[in-house]
Amino acid sequence: MLQCFYPKEYLDSTYLIDFEEKYRQGYRGIIFDIDNTLVPHGLPADERATALFKRLKNIGYHVTMLSNNKEPRVKMFCDAVGAPYIFKAGKPNPAKYRVAMKNMGTDERSTLFVGDQIFTDVWGANKAGIYAILVKPIHPREEIQIVLKRYLEKIVLISYRRYVNKNHF
């Protein structure tokens, strides 16, 4: 019943993903959430984020940021890492995920999504047919509407862990 919210992978950090291996597996595009996925909520790109995007470009990836945030916040981050973006994306609606894939020249089979929220990021990626990687939030400070969703996410994650253990992923 909750499987529409399950990521394909659940990791401690975006910065632990083996992007080289994913590239060998045929992935060519990555759609990222920004806040609490790449940097703490509202903060500019840091050295770690900048280095990651340089590395991804060197590997050969196309990237796009997909954020429900307003343009000034998204533009600030994306200008620093040199990445295109879509703001006020309306996640979990899959429409902007598809726009991002079209812009990158990728499709559902060759695109990864990385985000920190189940009910926006992962659910939207799943609805768009994209391989979704859920990462733990970088920082506990979040807006109140996100804090409330985190309680519901805990229920989904309990179910997800049981599902993974049962199916031996």
Side-chain angles (χ1 to χ4, degrees), residues 9-24:
E9 294 182 49
Y10 180 37
L11 302 171
D12 285 339
S13 170
T14 299
Y15 299 97
L16 297 177
I17 298 170
D18 187 343
F19 290 108
E20 289 80 3
E21 177 59 26
K22 296 294 185 199
Y23 193 86
R24 284 190 288 277

Side-chain angles (χ1 to χ4, degrees), residues 70-117:
K70 295 176 183 170
E71 187 171 22
R73 190 284 176 269
V74 178
K75 183 177 184 340
M76 171 184 64
F77 182 90
C78 294
D79 285 352
V81 299
Y85 60 89
I86 298 171
F87 66 97
K88 292 177 96 173
K91 296 181 288 184
N93 183 329
K96 297 297 171 85
Y97 292 78
R98 293 183 183 116
V99 169
M101 285 187 284
K102 181 179 179 196
N103 292 346
M104 293 187 298
T106 61
D107 61 21
E108 295 86 353
R109 294 175 311 280
S110 62
T111 305
L112 298 170
F113 181 87
V114 181
D116 71 297
Q117 292 188 56

Side-chain angles (χ1 to χ4, degrees), residues 133-152:
I133 301 173
L134 177 67
V135 295
K136 292 180 180 172
I138 288 175
H139 194 276
R141 184 181 65 86
E142 297 183 296
E143 295 176 342
I144 187 65
Q145 69 271 18
I146 296 171
V147 171
L148 296 173
K149 285 192 272 184
R150 294 287 185 206
Y151 289 108
L152 296 173

Side-chain angles (χ1 to χ4, degrees), residues 3 25 32 34-35 51 62 68 72 77 92 99 101-102 105 107 113 131 143 155-156:
Q3 291 178 355
Q25 293 171 1
F32 285 99
I34 298 171
D35 287 322
H62 297 280
N68 284 349
F77 182 90
V99 169
M101 285 187 284
K102 181 179 179 196
D107 61 21
F113 181 87
Y131 190 98
E143 295 176 342
I155 295 166
V156 175

Side-chain angles (χ1 to χ4, degrees), residues 22-63:
K22 296 294 185 199
Y23 193 86
R24 284 190 288 277
Q25 293 171 1
Y27 293 99
R28 297 297 182 261
I30 308 170
I31 303 170
F32 285 99
D33 175 55
I34 298 171
D35 287 322
N36 259 343
T37 298
L38 294 163
V39 293
H41 186 83
L43 292 185
D46 56 19
E47 290 180 23
R48 185 168 69 159
T50 304
L52 174 64
F53 282 87
K54 184 176 182 179
R55 178 177 146 217
L56 294 174
K57 184 177 182 182
N58 288 337
I59 294 169
Y61 280 108
H62 297 280
V63 298

